[in-house]
Amino acid sequence: MSNSLQFLVAMGSNAHMAQLNPAQYAAAVAALDLDDDSRAALLDRDGDRLGALLGGRQILSCLIAPAEDEPAREGGEEEPEPDDDGERNA
Amino acid sequence: MGAAGSLVCVGLGMLLGAHISPRARSHLEQADVVFVLASDSLTELWVQSLHADVRSLQPCYGEGRSRHDSYRDMVALMLDEVRAGRRVCGAFYGHPGVFAKVPHVAIATARGEGFEAWMEPGISAEACLYADLAIDPGRVGCQHYEASQFLLYRRRIDPSAYLVLWQVAIAGDRSLRRSATPAPYRQLLVERLLQDYPDEQRAIVYEAATLPIHTPRCENIALTHLPQVALSLKSTLVLPPSRPLQPDSILQVRIAELDRIHAAVPSTNPQGVL
């Protein structure tokens, strides 16, 4: 895992790091072993730029909640209804 | 006999590093294969660091491609591995079962074929909304609808409760091919809402933070300005109550009568009274 990503994960999971003031944040980023571009992206708080620098995938969408069910396709199988009984089918 | 496949869908939560539960992480790390749908590229990178075989579901989306096809492909990818006898973990942003069709269908399909399949809850964008906007849904009630579904189907709105409309950027889209609907669609949404709300109604455009270097978007707007406001796929519209709770005088009288009949008495039950 890259140092910049580790830093972000630590910020997310550590209450103290999540509360850094701007000067403390800048100092923490300055102390990291990073390339200049990653450091600049972190200092600018630019997650998209940092993701691109780290080779992250473009997020095209994250929607998986359609407003309507898919119209029935001719000859196609119907999707199973989610279980209502809560059983895991172990 | 080969090993039986299984499927567990877990939630990554919304905020990188902050929300994944210990058990969800354990499922992820112990799976044979992980499928991930994250709302942030950095979160996907992080999940990839947790397991040797992490497969993104992002390639199932395509410009101009119906998301019905995308969802079908996502389910098929996961079920293929389950049928091959693998322990599959589907890791989805937020809660895997809240405004999320794919995990539910995948689990139902797997169960229907006799495989063990279940869901582990996660911290949803809804949960973040309550924290970031200081809303207790239990105080006066909270109604949640998918924004397009709200337009396409008749719903009864109680303006004395909160109203939350999800996926508002694509309000009115029936094609499932768009990442945004034009302003006239949102104007239609405003017109529909003004059937139940006053012209001066305020609203909040909300987006949960996904990285700890970001803050959530909590933008207070006039509802009538919605067509001009910049929205993203992560945007949610929150309408606070426009009027106080309306007493139901008939039922209140009947409850008073029941109270007289069933007067509360001190409990002798050492377990206490619920």
Side-chain angles (χ1 to χ4, degrees), chain B residues 6-244:
Chain B
S6 65
L7 171 66
V8 60
C9 291
V10 305
L12 298 170
M14 296 303 297
L15 191 65
L16 174 64
H19 292 170
I20 188 169
S21 72
R23 191 151 84 174
R25 179 165 177 158
S26 178
H27 278 304
L28 198 159
E29 291 172 337
Q30 294 179 17
D32 294 321
V33 58
V34 176
F35 290 90
V36 62
L37 186 69
S39 57
D40 192 285
S41 64
L42 289 168
T43 301
E44 182 174 293
L45 285 173
W46 174 68
V47 173
Q48 288 173 348
S49 75
L50 299 179
H51 194 285
D53 189 355
V54 176
R55 306 177 192 180
S56 175
L57 293 173
Q58 281 294 325
C60 295
Y61 294 110
E63 290 289 338
R65 186 173 195 233
S66 169
R67 286 193 295 280
H68 281 307
D69 295 331
S70 304
Y71 304 153
R72 199 178 316 113
D73 288 351
M74 292 178 186
V75 172
L77 285 172
M78 289 190 284
L79 266 293
D80 283 349
E81 296 299 320
V82 174
R83 294 172 186 130
R86 298 193 178 89
R87 292 173 303 172
V88 178
C89 177
F92 295 85
Y93 72 95
H95 184 304
V98 177
F99 285 89
K101 172 180 179 177
V102 167
H104 283 294
V105 172
I107 288 170
T109 304
R111 287 177 177 172
E113 295 180 11
F115 296 104
E116 188 172 355
W118 71 101
M119 180 180 290
E120 295 282 356
I123 295 180
S124 62
E126 177 186 340
C128 296
L129 182 155
Y130 297 142
D132 292 334
L133 299 183
I135 291 174
D136 176 0
R139 192 175 67 83
V140 294
C142 193
Q143 304 151 107
H144 292 265
Y145 296 109
E146 199 278 337
S148 295
Q149 193 184 89
F150 177 77
L151 283 174
L152 295 169
Y153 296 91
R154 295 189 182 185
R155 316 307 300 245
R156 294 174 64 181
I157 298 303
D158 177 2
S160 64
Y162 285 90
L163 175 64
V164 183
L165 297 177
W166 298 88
Q167 304 183 157
V168 66
I170 57 168
D173 176 43
R174 303 191 85 170
S175 72
L176 269 69
R177 298 174 196 274
R178 292 180 169 127
S179 58
T181 46
Y185 289 75
R186 293 190 222 148
Q187 181 58 42
L188 191 63
L189 177 60
V190 171
E191 289 175 24
R192 167 59 186 91
L193 288 168
L194 291 181
Q195 293 175 7
D196 293 288
Y197 292 91
D199 294 345
E200 63 273 18
Q201 178 69 27
R202 306 294 299 181
I204 302 164
V205 176
Y206 173 76
E207 295 175 8
T210 56
L211 297 176
I213 52 177
H214 294 159
T215 54
R217 178 183 182 185
C218 309
E219 185 178 345
N220 197 306
I221 65 168
L223 176 61
T224 52
H225 293 176
L226 181 64
Q228 291 79 46
V229 172
L231 299 176
S232 77
L233 290 177
K234 300 177 183 179
S235 301
T236 299
L237 190 68
V238 182
L239 275 71
S242 64
R243 64 179 189 184

